[in-house]
Amino acid sequence: MLVQLSGRGLRPVGRTSASPFIARITEQPNPVMREHILRVRGEDELPEGFRAYLIDEASVALCRCDTYILPPALRYLGEGDVVRIEPLRRALHTLYRRRSRHNTLLVTERCDNYCTMCSQPPKEGDDSWLIDEALQVIDLISPETAEVGITGGEPALLGERLVEILIRLRERLPSTDVHVLSNGRRFSDERLAALVAGVEHARLMIGIPLYSDLPEHHDFVVQAKGAFEETVRGILNLKRRGVRVELRFVIHRDTAERLPAFAEFVARNLLFVDHVALMGLEPTGFAKTNLGALWMEPSEYGAELSRAVRTLVRAGAPLSVYNHALCLLPEEVRPFARQSISDWKNAYFEECDSCARRAECSGFFASAATKRPKGMTAFACAQAALTGESR
Amino acid sequence: MTLSAHFRPRSEFAASGQYRLLPFRFGRLDDKRYVATNDVGEYVVLSEGDLHAFIERRLAPGSATYNALKVKHFLMDEGARSAVDLLALKYRTRLEPLSEFTGLHIFVVTLRCDHSCHYCQVSRQTEDRQHYDMSAEHAEKALAMVFRSPARDLKIEFQGGEPLLNFECIRYIVVRAEAMNAVAGKNLQFVIATNLSRLTDDMLDFCKAHRVVLSTSLDGPAELHDAQRPVRGGSSHALTLDGIQRVRRALGHDAVAALMTTTPRSLSRVVEIIDEYVRNGFHSIFLRPVSPYGFAVRSSLMRKYSADDWLRFYKAGLARILEINQAGFRLREEFTTILLQKIFSPAGTLYVDLQSPAGIGVAALVYNYDGAVYASDEGRMLAEMGDQSFRLGHVDCDTYDDMMTADALVSTLDSTMLEGVPMCSECPFLPYCGSDPVYHRVTQGDMIGHKALSEHCRRQMAVLRHLLSLLEDDAAARETLMGWM
């Protein structure tokens, strides 16, 4: 289900304030909550006192400050969602959706790597306002939220401010899993690793990409000399202090060949990590720029993927395969496929409508919709039953 | 297609070619190739030319050999501290099982036996001598020693003679061990090594209730098995098969394992022996050599055979087993699997007879029927031949601390460690081998032994060369072998 997370096209009705503001949406008109945005779907009266109002239809007797009509694509917004409204640009950004399993906070766009397939290409410049915003959003997130992601850029470049975010998360959302995506290099500094471990966040995992067993090869993929060395030291520093670490490997034309060797390297050297994720390429950002050089059909690397999975399973490593439709995976790999594509960028093809396993299948990236993969086949009900696969 | 212009090409990230060597050993694999190994058991096969280039620091980055040596930490770029950190981590992981200490505890509950196996390690006594049974008092003291071990996994193995002849003692030990374990909280496993001839339904019920598993001897087809395992008034083979069926019915298919002992008679019949295992539904077989102890040495019935004889037997056997696997029947050879674990598993293996420092005391302890404590099964057999070097003490008069810190034990462990003895310290197969002080004392009169004269060494090196060559050269064999771990 594709979801638009931001858009322009808010239609103000009457006066608006000038500066951007962040607030949580409620659909309860009583009691009046001064910092909340009231979401009104019908033609009800707008009680005064809310920070803003998001409505579907213009109706009579509207004269509240910061009342906006939502464009159709944004009308999914509702109770518990957190948004940033920019009145002068008439823009709205969804920062948190209560009903989604895929909420992430972008904390910086700066990065010290430059991966050839980066889905969020780095930008220079002071963007520390993102941190301040993230802290505000954390205060507004529902406590029953299962998981929040922290991404960038490279979150560890924030240093102590990353620690501040983790502390805020621990205090405000103690039951929420936190998944930080980081290249791990800054954690080669033991002090930062110690600070993060010192937060004692019980539900923290740091997802760290490693693209090869060969240092020079990894360095090429991330376009930074010495990156492999720092990343491995970062992983060791974090694990020594009991921080949970996940290894992530993205499969494309420059990494696929060494995937089996990478699996052997992990089985020998890094078996103390908490999770290993083998991931399909998301053709957006630099991956899209370099698509011709990097894109590989999953069927082209099926053998390598099978061998890697077999090695890791035999070693007892906790393993998942992300971003691959079930029909494109070798049979022995399917039990490890997870529904990993964030709902807001998740798409399926027409073949999928009749597929018996659609509900468990991660489908495709919306950005891949223009590159129809070869070899898609819907599972018939009988077929799914025969293979006896279920999760 | 190449990457967009503002990305740098692979060539810009190539390694400099200046590298440092990390510790390794090397030796010949065959006429054309060498094998290099490191302290954690990783290996690289390489040509003589590459070996020279590697050592002389002129091996070119990017070649398959260079890459293999780098990712397995035989060489490192200057300043690549992570390589040293990982190697250190792997080494600690490999040695960590040592801190678990003694996991295998063998209780010889009786010396009485109804069989007269030609190769018997035990000075078997006939059935009517009652004072060859372990007493409850000694069993209790031995159990106290068992629970002194810090190991989280404890395996108590009952041996003899024929342990079922003193089932009351087994019953006592199991019940008492479980009671003591209610406090200790270990993973307790019980195994009985038995010929199954005395198995009653009562015994089966007890085994079921306490999850005791059984291990028996199946030396091959009936005529071979019976010729070397005579029993009064019947066929050992028939009794064994009958016993196996009864155990499986009562306790499950995998509740009984079988071992074979190789004798000169078996040497030419490996395929028949293996087929016998397959016919009886076993998915595991252990191709073991015979040891030069006890009855086997004294009796003129047994002609010792050479390592080369056994190697022919083993290679033919392994080939047959691989064939069987490739035809779709899962059959795992245990000796090979132990070696594979030493090669591929980060923590190595707990197999007592291939450890450095040796497994004596550290990995296994033997509590004899008379209350004496020995550092290994073979050490006990040596004592019966008159040599007490591996006797640690007696449960009635020696404390656990005295026995486990006795100079005889500690200095033996120290002096026989492979890392510190001639030939072994430079041998590429060191990480896959073990010191065997008892064997060398029996055969050469010295616990370290001159390895050039050691059949143990000859056998180990040949098996490892064979196995490593298979892994390198035979993809189908490799696939089967890797699936055994």
Side-chain angles (χ1 to χ4, degrees):
Chain A
M1 179 204 71
L2 282 174
V3 169
Q4 190 178 325
L5 288 185
S6 47
R8 305 183 63 168
L10 286 184
R11 278 165 41 212
V13 179
R15 276 191 315 119
T16 71
S17 49
S19 313
F21 59 96
I22 294 174
R24 180 179 160 105
I25 295 172
T26 180
E27 299 192 57
Q28 308 298 321
N30 278 312
V32 168
M33 313 263 283
R34 275 187 312 112
E35 291 110 19
H36 281 48
I37 297 170
L38 183 66
R39 177 84 174 89
V40 175
R41 294 181 194 272
E43 296 193 355
D44 303 328
E45 281 281 314
L46 301 185
E48 68 173 322
F50 284 91
R51 179 65 186 79
Y53 303 81
L54 292 174
I55 64 179
D56 290 353
E57 313 285 337
S59 65
V60 294
L62 289 174
C63 55
R64 306 287 177 217
C65 184
D66 284 304
T67 300
Y68 303 89
I69 300 172
L70 284 170
L74 296 177
R75 290 193 188 154
Y76 65 83
L77 288 168
E79 180 75 38
D81 294 341
V82 176
V83 298
R84 181 195 333 122
I85 291 178
E86 296 175 34
L88 298 183
R89 293 177 67 233
R90 301 178 177 200
L92 179 145
H93 303 270
T94 308
L95 301 176
Y96 164 78
R97 282 177 305 130
R98 190 151 158 259
R99 274 165 302 148
S100 169
R101 287 179 301 146
H102 304 109
N103 285 294
T104 58
L105 299 173
L106 178 75
V107 295
T108 181
E109 290 190 285
R110 293 175 296 127
C111 189
D112 49 352
N113 277 352
Y114 202 72
C115 304
T116 57
M117 68 287 190
C118 184
S119 57
Q120 184 85 38
K123 292 181 186 157
E124 297 285 314
D126 180 2
D127 55 7
S128 51
W129 64 270
L130 282 169
I131 308 169
D132 300 316
E133 179 170 283
L135 289 165
Q136 282 186 65
V137 173
I138 290 168
D139 287 346
L140 300 172
I141 288 177
S142 307
E144 68 271 14
T145 302
E147 178 176 317
V148 165
I150 306 288
T151 63
E154 174 47 52
L157 290 177
L158 270 43
E160 291 185 14
R161 297 221 70 192
L162 174 63
V163 177
E164 195 186 334
I165 290 173
L166 294 176
I167 290 173
R168 184 73 64 95
L169 283 163
R170 190 196 73 210
E171 289 172 348
R172 294 282 197 270
L173 302 169
S175 317
T176 303
D177 290 340
V178 174
H179 197 227
V180 175
L181 292 186
S182 164
N183 63 36
R185 293 177 62 188
R186 291 292 108 245
F187 296 114
S188 59
D189 176 354
E190 293 192 0
R191 284 165 306 165
L192 184 60
L195 282 174
V196 166
V199 174
E200 293 188 342
H201 193 298
R203 310 176 80 113
L204 172 66
M205 183 174 309
I206 317 245
I208 298 182
L210 206 55
Y211 298 121
S212 183
D213 53 336
L214 254 186
E216 48 269 33
H217 183 208
H218 171 92
D219 287 358
F220 158 63
V221 174
V222 309
Q223 297 276 300
K225 275 198 205 255
F228 178 92
E229 176 65 22
E230 286 187 347
T231 296
V232 170
R233 278 165 38 192
I235 292 168
L236 290 174
N237 282 344
L238 288 167
K239 284 313 303 171
R240 273 193 204 104
R241 288 168 176 79
V243 179
R244 286 161 67 228
V245 169
E246 164 188 81
L247 290 180
R248 293 159 79 88
F249 184 104
V250 175
I251 311 171
H252 59 61
R253 198 165 289 286
D254 278 340
T255 60
E257 197 187 354
R258 288 203 80 87
L259 173 53
F262 170 77
E264 287 180 17
F265 180 79
V266 171
R268 265 297 194 179
N269 291 279
L270 300 174
L271 219 49
F272 49 79
V273 300
D274 301 276
H275 191 228
V276 179
L278 305 177
M279 307 171 53
L281 183 66
E282 182 179 359
T284 189
F286 286 159
K288 191 166 168 197
T289 311
N290 289 315
L291 203 59
L294 297 181
W295 181 256
M296 256 180 117
E297 295 292 333
S299 53
E300 290 180 73
Y301 55 74
E304 284 82 356
L305 183 53
S306 282
R307 278 175 57 199
V309 165
R310 217 173 298 150
T311 298
L312 291 167
V313 168
R314 278 181 187 150
L319 173 65
S320 296
V321 173
Y322 290 160
N323 309 342
H324 288 84
L326 286 170
C327 60
L328 299 178
L329 289 173
E331 172 119 20
E332 72 181 289
V333 176
R334 284 182 198 145
F336 302 97
R338 314 281 175 234
Q339 281 185 300
S340 52
I341 297 180
S342 302
D343 55 4
W344 55 273
K345 45 182 174 175
N346 200 189
Y348 293 83
F349 290 95
E350 315 85 70
E351 284 89 331
C352 307
D353 292 337
S354 61
C355 180
R357 301 187 67 181
R358 186 194 158 122
E360 354 153 8
C361 176
S362 74
F364 304 88
F365 284 106
S367 47
T370 48
K371 274 200 82 62
R372 281 181 59 86
K374 305 191 179 77
M376 272 193 302
T377 31
F379 285 96
C381 280
Q383 200 176 345
L386 268 177
T387 54
E389 289 170 301
S390 59
R391 276 190 296 113
Chain B
M1 274 203 64
T2 52
L3 296 169
S4 146
H6 68 281
F7 292 91
R8 294 176 284 159
R10 199 185 282 243
S11 52
E12 271 196 46
F13 296 90
S16 72
Q18 312 261 62
Y19 57 83
R20 299 181 62 172
L21 301 181
L22 287 163
F24 72 99
R25 299 177 178 86
F26 69 92
R28 283 196 174 282
L29 179 65
D30 57 30
D31 292 340
K32 297 199 182 53
R33 299 178 292 185
Y34 282 79
V35 62
T37 64
N38 62 21
D39 282 304
V40 302
E42 291 169 288
Y43 73 91
V44 177
V45 173
L46 62 178
S47 67
E48 188 168 343
D50 277 350
L51 180 65
H52 281 283
F54 164 48
I55 292 172
E56 292 162 22
R57 293 173 189 71
R58 29 176 200 89
L59 192 63
S63 68
T65 302
Y66 174 93
N67 290 346
L69 291 166
K70 189 166 204 171
V71 302
K72 295 182 183 184
H73 301 132
F74 286 76
L75 61 83
M76 59 178 258
D77 290 328
E78 199 70 48
R81 214 184 73 203
S82 70
V84 178
D85 287 345
L86 288 174
L87 202 47
L89 193 64
K90 286 187 282 190
Y91 195 56
R92 288 199 300 277
T93 304
R94 198 170 171 89
L95 292 179
E96 217 200 330
L98 266 181
S99 65
E100 288 286 300
F101 214 55
T102 321
L104 176 61
H105 299 266
I106 297 173
F107 281 71
V108 181
V109 294
T110 182
L111 281 197
R112 295 181 293 128
C113 193
D114 55 349
H115 279 51
S116 324
C117 306
H118 294 164
Y119 48 69
C120 183
Q121 318 281 15
V122 175
S123 305
R124 149 198 81 64
Q125 304 292 321
T126 58
E127 293 184 49
D128 21 58
R129 310 252 192 107
Q130 286 292 334
H131 55 280
Y132 287 99
D133 285 8
M134 179 181 270
S135 69
E137 291 76 28
H138 285 158
E140 185 73 27
K141 289 178 180 171
L143 274 173
M145 278 189 69
V146 171
F147 281 91
R148 285 293 302 270
S149 172
R152 279 166 293 185
D153 299 311
L154 293 176
K155 187 193 281 195
I156 292 180
E157 187 170 307
F158 299 102
Q159 288 185 10
E162 170 46 57
L164 296 184
L165 289 172
N166 191 6
F167 196 77
E168 282 321 297
C169 190
I170 293 177
R171 204 188 284 270
Y172 178 83
I173 291 168
V174 169
V175 169
R176 282 296 297 142
E178 285 176 342
M180 291 165 81
N181 197 40
V183 176
K186 316 262 189 185
N187 285 336
L188 265 190
Q189 276 185 62
F190 300 102
V191 186
I192 308 176
T194 167
N195 61 40
L196 297 175
S197 64
R198 297 292 164 133
L199 189 63
T200 66
D201 287 338
D202 253 3
M203 293 174 186
L204 281 171
D205 288 341
F206 182 84
C207 290
K208 183 165 187 160
H210 298 271
R211 279 177 294 159
V212 179
V213 296
L214 298 150
S215 169
T216 193
S217 277
L218 182 61
D219 282 2
E223 161 265 317
L224 171 58
H225 178 109
D226 288 337
Q228 52 196 44
R229 295 179 63 83
V231 64
R232 256 194 310 233
S235 151
S236 170
H237 184 268
L239 285 166
T240 300
L241 289 191
D242 181 63
I244 287 167
Q245 273 191 44
R246 289 174 57 211
V247 174
R248 282 177 172 164
R249 258 202 311 269
L251 308 179
H253 185 95
D254 294 331
V256 55
L259 300 176
M260 50 106 34
T261 301
T262 317
T263 63
R265 193 181 285 113
S266 356
L267 279 177
S268 54
R269 304 180 63 176
V270 68
V271 171
E272 290 175 64
I273 296 170
I274 292 166
D275 288 352
E276 179 71 10
Y277 272 68
V278 172
R279 193 176 315 123
N280 285 285
F282 284 103
H283 293 282
S284 159
I285 181 168
F286 196 154
L287 300 177
R288 293 188 310 167
V290 83
S291 318
Y293 309 112
F295 214 88
V297 162
R298 291 204 302 261
S299 163
S300 57
L301 290 168
M302 287 293 302
R303 177 176 54 83
K304 278 180 293 173
Y305 53 81
S306 67
D308 288 346
D309 291 329
W310 185 83
L311 282 162
R312 269 187 290 275
F313 170 87
Y314 170 80
K315 288 180 188 175
L318 184 61
R320 174 73 183 148
I321 289 168
L322 289 172
E323 218 174 68
I324 288 170
N325 276 277
Q326 274 141 37
F329 183 87
R330 188 177 38 98
L331 178 62
R332 187 174 96 162
E333 200 285 302
E334 297 303 330
F335 184 60
T336 310
T337 302
I338 286 162
L339 295 175
L340 289 168
Q341 279 164 347
K342 290 180 90 70
I343 297 171
F344 292 105
S345 168
T349 170
L350 295 175
Y351 180 65
V352 171
D353 295 339
L354 282 178
Q355 299 293 334
S356 176
I360 51 167
V362 172
L365 282 170
V366 178
Y367 312 96
N368 208 6
Y369 70 98
D370 60 1
V373 180
Y374 294 90
S376 80
D377 212 7
E378 288 78 16
R380 176 181 65 102
M381 294 166 205
L382 205 59
E384 305 222 353
M385 289 159 65
D387 183 338
Q388 305 291 326
S389 318
F390 295 92
R391 183 183 190 276
L392 297 179
H394 194 282
V395 294
D396 282 342
C397 43
D398 297 300
T399 67
Y400 177 82
D401 298 67
D402 286 341
M403 288 197 248
M404 298 310 288
T405 58
D407 190 60
L409 176 63
V410 176
S411 65
T412 302
L413 288 168
D414 177 29
S415 64
T416 61
M417 267 186 75
L418 301 181
E419 287 81 352
V421 302
M423 280 186 68
C424 300
S425 63
E426 297 158 351
C427 179
F429 306 116
L430 181 153
Y432 314 136
C433 198
S435 73
D436 196 338
V438 185
Y439 176 92
H440 289 105
R441 182 151 175 92
V442 171
T443 53
Q444 295 187 32
D446 134 44
M447 295 192 193
I448 297 168
H450 192 317
K451 297 310 197 308
L453 305 175
S454 163
E455 295 280 273
H456 174 274
C457 176
R458 191 177 178 77
R459 183 193 75 222
Q460 284 294 109
M461 290 210 287
V463 171
L464 286 160
R465 287 195 170 100
H466 182 73
L467 194 53
L468 289 171
S469 300
L470 271 180
L471 289 166
E472 279 295 292
D473 302 332
D474 186 336
R478 188 192 173 100
E479 193 50 41
T480 301
L481 292 168
M482 297 304 286
W484 285 354
M485 291 183 286

